[in-house]
Amino acid sequence: QVQLVESGGGLAQAGGSLRLSCAVSGRTFSMYVTGWFRQAPGREREFVAAIRWSGGYAYYPDSGKGRFTISRDNAKNTVYLQMDSLKPEDTAVYYCASLRSGSYWELTSYDYWGQGTQVTVSS
């Protein structure tokens, strides 16, 4: 199994920045891609970014990288999500997840999920 623990969420002002962390443990040798998703109240969980552990290739929604940057530290088994120029609409619970197989932008491709970390952006 793979365990994922998110941290770094909190309250930020519009225009500010936050960096989320996702610490991965367990069967880390089986990791291929780790992704970030978010879910706002009353909305579906949506893809934010993903990264391949080998080579560090990053993937973002079709709309482009935007204000978020994903990175990883293989030595620490940790994936980061740097969020800049935050907007109130970025308010959501942010989750990281480990890819099992399939498309990196699809929820069903991921089998292990963290508990989530709340991000609240005030205007």
Side-chain angles (χ1 to χ4, degrees):
Q1 287 192 345
V2 176
Q3 293 81 40
L4 304 103
V5 179
E6 303 94 338
S7 62
L11 179 64
Q13 290 188 334
S17 298
L18 282 174
R19 189 178 79 156
L20 305 183
S21 299
C22 172
V24 186
S25 61
R27 294 171 58 89
T28 57
F29 61 87
S30 67
M31 293 188 300
Y32 173 49
V33 168
T34 295
W36 282 99
F37 291 78
R38 69 183 183 183
Q39 187 166 20
R43 301 189 64 177
E44 295 184 351
R45 195 169 298 190
E46 64 177 357
F47 172 67
V48 175
I51 192 165
R52 187 183 299 181
W53 285 92
S54 176
Y57 298 103
Y59 307 94
Y60 298 95
D62 290 341
S63 56
K65 172 182 167 182
R67 299 169 286 112
F68 296 175
T69 303
I70 191 171
S71 62
R72 93 277 186 248
D73 185 330
N74 289 48
K76 296 182 178 179
N77 289 333
T78 300
V79 173
Y80 303 98
L81 183 69
Q82 178 67 40
M83 306 188 296
D84 298 316
S85 302
L86 285 165
K87 303 177 180 180
E89 50 263 44
D90 294 321
T91 296
V93 178
Y94 285 72
Y95 300 89
C96 61
S98 178
L99 184 77
R100 177 186 69 249
S101 64
S103 304
Y104 56 85
W105 62 85
E106 294 184 347
L107 289 170
T108 55
S109 299
Y110 295 79
D111 52 357
Y112 294 105
W113 292 80
Q115 81 289 350
T117 185
Q118 176 70 47
V119 171
T120 302
V121 183
S122 62
S123 58

